Every structure is written in structure tokens, then in C-alpha cells.
Amino acid sequence: MMQSSLCFPGLGLGLQCSELSESSQGRRRDSGEFPFHLPPPCSSHLSSTSSWISAFAAAALKPLALCRTQTTAAFVPRMVIRVYIASSSGSTAIKKKQQDVLGFLEANKIGFEEKDIAANEENRKWMRENVPENNRPATGYPLPPQIFNESQYRGDYDAFFEARENNAVYAFLGLTAPPGSKEAEAQAKQQA
């Protein structure tokens, strides 16, 4: 995955956006962000780099609301939700469950990373080793989708489905619910 960082010192902010890429390692989807790659200026424009930066800054600031912004003084790391899937599953039930999880995350603009266990043996081994013993089936291996927050196991589809039905998906994922969401309102009522 390529990342481009662009700093605008005069504005006191930096932009960092991910370019969507597919590889055998996985596909990252930073939902709600604007993917772009900043090409280097061509040699004919090297003498006018400041005008090139000014032109790009004007174009880049239009989708600023879509990009993840950060101040140049500090960087706050984000939690990464990893969803282990099987792209070539023969089971329609597994495919539907995977689509359900991924669709929900995309619709709610929750950034996540897809890890394909069918295309990458390392992903398959890692998933199988990191699903806790008490969450594994009695026979065989755990089936996708399996959900992790970084390396912390969060659950399978059944746990995700239950959390969604109870308006507790953000808590299930180990994330803070956004203000104004049903889950945030429910948490506020419980704390009051």
C-alpha cells in the first residue's frame, strides 16, 4: 500500500491519505478517506516548485473534509480493524456473512483491512493461531469472517451479528462510538 504525505507548513497541517491497493497481503480500505497519490513534480517544474505546491494545495484542500487530517506536531495512531475473509469460498453462507460484515463497516465508514486467507498462507496461519481456543469450533478450523482489532481477537460473524443487533458494534470492535450514534446515546444513558 502506498501512502502519500503532504505537509502545508503555512497552514499548520499535514495530509496523509492511503491509496487503495490490492496485494496478497490484504487490501486496506480507509472508508471515508479520499485516496490519492502525490506524484513528484516533473523536471520542467522543478524551478517553480512553490507554484506547483500552491496549485496542488488548492486542489487538495477541496476534498479536505474527505481526508484524514493531522497536525504536523503530533500523530495519533489509529486502531486497524482486520477482517479475515476467504475470497474463493465455495460456501454461499460464508460469502454472505463476509459481505455483511464488510458492507456494514463500509456503510459506517469504519476503516478496515481485508486479509484474504485463500490467497495468502501467512494470513491463514496467523488467523488460525490467533483465534482463542474457547472460540474455535470443536472440530476443524475457525471459518471466516474472523474480526480483529490490530492483533486483538474481537469475534466471528455470530458475535458481530449479536453486537449489531444490540447497537454495540463499536464496543465489539474496541472503538469509540461516534457522537450522535445510537450506540453513543445508549452509552450516555447507561452512564447517567
Side-chain angles (χ1 to χ4, degrees), residues 21-22 24 32 39 44 50 52 55 61 79 96 107 116 129 135 139 141 172:
S21 65
E22 289 191 41
S24 60
S44 64
S50 62
W52 176 82
L61 289 176
M79 300 273 192
K96 286 180 181 180
D116 190 355
E129 291 171 0
N135 293 91
T139 59
Y141 294 109
F172 166 76

Side-chain angles (χ1 to χ4, degrees), residues 56-92:
F56 185 81
L61 289 176
K62 287 181 182 176
L64 184 60
L66 298 174
C67 288
R68 173 173 29 126
T69 59
Q70 66 186 32
T71 62
T72 54
F75 176 72
V76 179
R78 293 184 345 169
M79 300 273 192
V80 176
I81 303 301
R82 292 187 175 106
V83 182
Y84 286 80
I85 59 134
S87 61
S88 60
S89 174
S91 168
T92 56

Side-chain angles (χ1 to χ4, degrees), residues 1-5 15-22 27-39 56 59-60 63-68 78:
M1 176 179 67
M2 299 186 67
Q3 281 203 340
S4 299
S5 294
L15 299 177
Q16 183 179 19
C17 296
S18 302
E19 179 177 286
L20 296 178
S21 65
E22 289 191 41
R27 185 169 60 209
R28 185 177 182 109
R29 295 183 185 180
D30 289 324
S31 299
E33 295 179 359
F34 180 74
F36 72 93
H37 176 67
L38 176 60
F56 185 81
L64 184 60
L66 298 174
C67 288
R68 173 173 29 126
R78 293 184 345 169

Side-chain angles (χ1 to χ4, degrees), residues 89-111:
S89 174
S91 168
T92 56
I94 288 176
K95 287 180 183 178
K96 286 180 181 180
K97 289 176 181 180
Q98 291 173 165
Q99 289 172 345
D100 192 24
V101 171
L102 300 177
F104 181 88
L105 295 174
E106 286 177 345
N108 287 285
K109 296 181 171 70
I110 299 171

Side-chain angles (χ1 to χ4, degrees), residues 130-150:
N130 289 284
V131 171
E133 289 289 331
N134 59 336
N135 293 91
R136 293 183 186 185
T139 59
Y141 294 109
L143 298 173
Q146 297 291 330
I147 304 163
F148 291 81
N149 185 331
E150 295 290 337

